[in-house]
Amino acid sequence: MKTIQKSAKLANVLYDVRGPIVDAAKQMEDEGQKIIKLNIGNLAPFGFDAPEEIQQDMIRNLPNSAGYSDSKGIFAARKAVMHYTQQQGIAGVTLDDIYLGNGASELIAMALNALLDDGDELLVPAPDYPLWTAATSLSGGKPVHYRCNEDNGWMPDLDDIRRKITSQTKGLVVINPNNPTGALYSDELLRGLVQIAREHGLVLMADEVYDKVLYEGATHTAMGSLSTDVLTLTFNSLSKAYRACGYRAGWMVISGDKTVAKEYIEGINMLANMKLGSNVPGQYAIQTALGGYQSINDLIREGGRLRRQRDLAYELITAIPGVTCVKPKAALYMFPRLDPVMYPIADDRQFFMEVLRATRVMLVQGSGFNYPDNQHFRIVFLPHEDDLREAIGRLAKFLEQWRARHGT
């Protein structure tokens, strides 16, 4: 029989956040084993519920949600996003510049499909949120990874970005606050990134999904507020700050110099029309979320649950011999490093598969975030404190045994 092959477009697509290790964990669960999941930023399974007022607003609006919305989204939600951009200091945004989607993920893919021709290049951070690399490849583009410097708190290396710009470079992706490292970028650094985009005529793609998940009084500056003369696409959603991953409610805002991008915006509009519209009940949650009580502040403040769990996870992971980590200032993750002398690892996916089978703790290897040095991995600190202690304790015991067998 003739076999049916997957598309060649998928040859360079990687999404190990939900990859082979997750498949193995699912099989283990089916066999009755309990897995502690430190692999994905899905808040609901760990008891982080969406605010009740958002839930109630969706319920009340369900009778109005059976039909398609406008392809860009319902008026009230887009108006709320417009007001939010004004609070952030992003100038010149109108309702026409706002697109609602089934999470930020759908809008990222749409924006890249409208931008990239075969062979075009997109500058993406390393490590990255792997959707950016995957969506670039699926759009026919080539992801070019620029270095974020661990020794400098995982800040982007501006010189490395400049070295990697070619005549084919179309855009620059900035993930701030950062997934997977938890880094938060200064205004000075953001201005440097904007200047690079300005000099080379690049589209700025600002992934700001974690802009409210900040610790120790840190503040976030929207990139669009600093790039008024550079075309900027900002992506955000309800998934993290409002604990509403499953609502699939995200938005994209176009700001900066739109006069140079009429055809590009026309392409975005075409793709928005083709998808008919996004999940309407989720859209009805946006106005209430952005205009209501910001309960995320209770979780990130001193003594708040996310703050406590971040501190605990950092304390436990850095107490393991040969494990170092930049303490995250934002988001839900940290990106520790294994000393390569103490932990000589040839294949990090195979290594963390072994971790899963031996400890029943699920983690994602660094190569899953396009950082293939076999030394890093991402920890999600969403589980309750007892589960974090248990999971990292099991990991510590596994690493102790690994050092005894393999370390030098």
Side-chain angles (χ1 to χ4, degrees), residues 298-315:
D298 298 331
L299 296 169
I300 60 176
R301 63 173 171 79
E302 180 93 36
R305 183 180 164 191
L306 280 175
R307 171 73 179 273
R308 294 197 315 270
Q309 290 173 192
R310 179 207 64 159
D311 292 345
L312 176 64
Y314 177 78
E315 175 189 336

Side-chain angles (χ1 to χ4, degrees), residues 102-211:
N102 295 306
S105 307
E106 179 185 53
L107 295 165
I108 288 169
M110 188 175 80
L112 296 183
N113 269 313
L115 178 67
L116 299 173
D117 288 320
D118 289 350
D120 284 343
E121 297 176 355
L122 187 71
L123 288 160
V124 180
D128 72 339
Y129 175 53
L131 173 73
W132 280 103
T133 295
T136 300
S137 297
L138 279 173
S139 300
K142 176 185 176 183
V144 176
H145 293 98
Y146 64 83
R147 187 169 70 103
C148 295
N149 188 351
E150 185 174 15
D151 293 335
N152 188 31
W154 290 115
M155 297 298 113
D157 185 329
L158 300 184
D159 291 334
D160 189 54
I161 293 173
R162 290 190 179 95
R163 283 192 295 268
K164 289 175 176 171
I165 294 173
T166 72
S167 60
Q168 296 297 109
T169 308
K170 297 290 286 291
L172 171 61
V173 176
V174 179
I175 305 174
N176 177 47
N178 189 265
N179 174 12
T181 66
L184 180 67
Y185 302 163
S186 68
D187 287 9
E188 180 183 6
L189 177 60
L190 292 174
R191 289 191 182 95
L193 292 163
V194 170
Q195 180 59 26
I196 291 173
R198 180 182 295 121
E199 290 172 2
H200 296 276
L202 306 181
V203 179
L204 278 172
M205 305 263 182
D207 182 339
E208 299 183 351
V209 167
Y210 298 91
D211 65 342

Side-chain angles (χ1 to χ4, degrees), residues 155-343:
M155 297 298 113
D157 185 329
L158 300 184
D159 291 334
D160 189 54
I161 293 173
R162 290 190 179 95
R163 283 192 295 268
K164 289 175 176 171
I165 294 173
T166 72
S167 60
Q168 296 297 109
T169 308
K170 297 290 286 291
L172 171 61
V173 176
V174 179
I175 305 174
N176 177 47
N178 189 265
N179 174 12
T181 66
L184 180 67
Y185 302 163
S186 68
D187 287 9
E188 180 183 6
L189 177 60
L190 292 174
R191 289 191 182 95
L193 292 163
V194 170
Q195 180 59 26
I196 291 173
R198 180 182 295 121
E199 290 172 2
H200 296 276
L202 306 181
V203 179
L204 278 172
M205 305 263 182
D207 182 339
E208 299 183 351
V209 167
Y210 298 91
D211 65 342
K212 292 181 181 291
V213 188
L214 310 167
Y215 305 106
E216 295 161 330
T219 58
H220 172 266
T221 298
M223 191 158 222
S225 68
L226 304 175
S227 57
T228 54
D229 61 332
V230 176
L231 185 72
T232 304
L233 276 60
T234 301
F235 301 88
N236 212 323
S237 81
L238 299 187
S239 293
K240 308 304 180 179
Y242 300 96
R243 287 84 70 201
C245 298
Y247 290 12
R248 307 316 298 136
W251 58 91
M252 176 178 73
V253 177
I254 302 178
S255 64
D257 185 4
K258 288 163 271 191
T259 62
V260 299
K262 290 181 180 179
E263 287 197 12
Y264 177 39
I265 294 171
E266 182 180 315
I268 290 174
N269 289 336
M270 184 184 302
L271 293 176
N273 290 335
M274 286 172 61
K275 73 181 181 70
L276 303 179
S278 56
N279 168 37
V280 176
Q283 292 184 53
Y284 275 112
I286 292 174
Q287 182 181 24
T288 304
L290 293 181
Y293 177 70
Q294 300 301 299
S295 55
I296 184 64
N297 294 330
D298 298 331
L299 296 169
I300 60 176
R301 63 173 171 79
E302 180 93 36
R305 183 180 164 191
L306 280 175
R307 171 73 179 273
R308 294 197 315 270
Q309 290 173 192
R310 179 207 64 159
D311 292 345
L312 176 64
Y314 177 78
E315 175 189 336
L316 294 173
I317 202 69
T318 54
I320 300 173
V323 181
T324 55
C325 185
V326 176
K327 192 171 188 178
K329 295 183 178 179
L332 309 172
Y333 318 101
M334 54 187 65
F335 202 59
R337 176 179 182 267
L338 298 168
D339 184 293
V341 174
M342 297 177 72
Y343 305 100

Side-chain angles (χ1 to χ4, degrees), residues 345-364:
I345 300 167
D347 181 329
D348 62 353
R349 180 192 281 180
Q350 180 180 337
F351 178 82
F352 282 99
M353 184 72 79
E354 187 176 340
V355 170
L356 170 67
R357 297 195 185 283
T359 69
R360 301 187 304 283
V361 175
M362 183 163 40
L363 297 156
V364 183

Side-chain angles (χ1 to χ4, degrees), residues 371-382:
Y371 203 78
D373 68 350
N374 292 316
Q375 296 172 22
H376 289 82
F377 62 101
R378 189 183 75 167
I379 285 184
V380 176
F381 47 84
L382 290 174

